[in-house]
């Protein structure tokens, strides 16, 4: 296992995981804003997309289809870690077979 690869994955995770936390907090703050304004917020999620809308009695504010950055960042984290695990497994298998 190469130490450089481990450091690269650690740096990528050190950037993406706090970014995921900030995005999650932002989504929560959006919902809290609509609730504070007297609306009932809803979020409909789709793969890599979402729609947020709000309702207050007969007033309905429809949402637009938006990229779900939470899912995108989570997918990047999973792909990065899976690729690292696969390369470690492949290198370990190659080392056991010999040159």
């Amino acid at each position: 296992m190469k130490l450089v690869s481990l450091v690269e994955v650690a740096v990528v995770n050190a950037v993406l995981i706090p970014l995921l936390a900030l995005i999650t907090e932002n989504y929560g703050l959006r919902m809290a804003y609509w609730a504070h304004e007297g609306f009932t917020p809803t979020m409909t999620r789709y793969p890599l997309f979402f729609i947020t809308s709000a309702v207050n009695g007969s007033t309905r504010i429809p949402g637009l289809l938006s990229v779900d950055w939470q899912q995108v960042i989570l997918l990047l984290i999973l792909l990065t870690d899976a690729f690292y695990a696969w390369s470690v497994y492949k290198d370990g298998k190659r080392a056991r077979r010999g040159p």
Side-chain angles (χ1 to χ4, degrees):
M1 173 171 59
K2 295 180 180 179
L3 182 61
V4 173
S5 298
L6 180 62
V7 170
E8 288 173 348
V9 170
V11 168
V12 169
N13 283 334
V15 170
L16 291 179
I17 291 172
L19 184 60
L20 180 63
L22 288 173
I23 291 168
T24 302
E25 180 182 5
N26 180 279
Y27 287 178
L29 291 173
R30 288 182 192 190
M31 293 297 184
Y33 169 77
W34 285 112
H36 177 71
E37 293 296 320
F39 286 86
T40 303
T42 60
M43 181 183 283
T44 307
R45 290 185 180 260
Y46 301 100
L48 302 180
F49 295 98
F50 71 92
I51 298 174
T52 304
S53 57
V55 177
N56 183 3
S58 63
T59 306
R60 185 178 193 301
I61 300 175
L64 298 173
L65 185 66
S66 303
V67 174
D68 190 345
W69 290 107
Q70 222 176 14
Q71 292 181 28
V72 171
I73 297 298
L74 189 59
L75 184 63
L76 284 173
I77 292 170
L78 290 173
L79 288 175
T80 301
D81 292 349
F83 181 75
Y84 174 73
W86 174 74
S87 65
V88 167
Y89 173 74
K90 185 181 68 165
D91 288 345
K93 199 172 181 181
R94 185 181 306 146
R96 282 181 280 186
R97 268 192 288 168

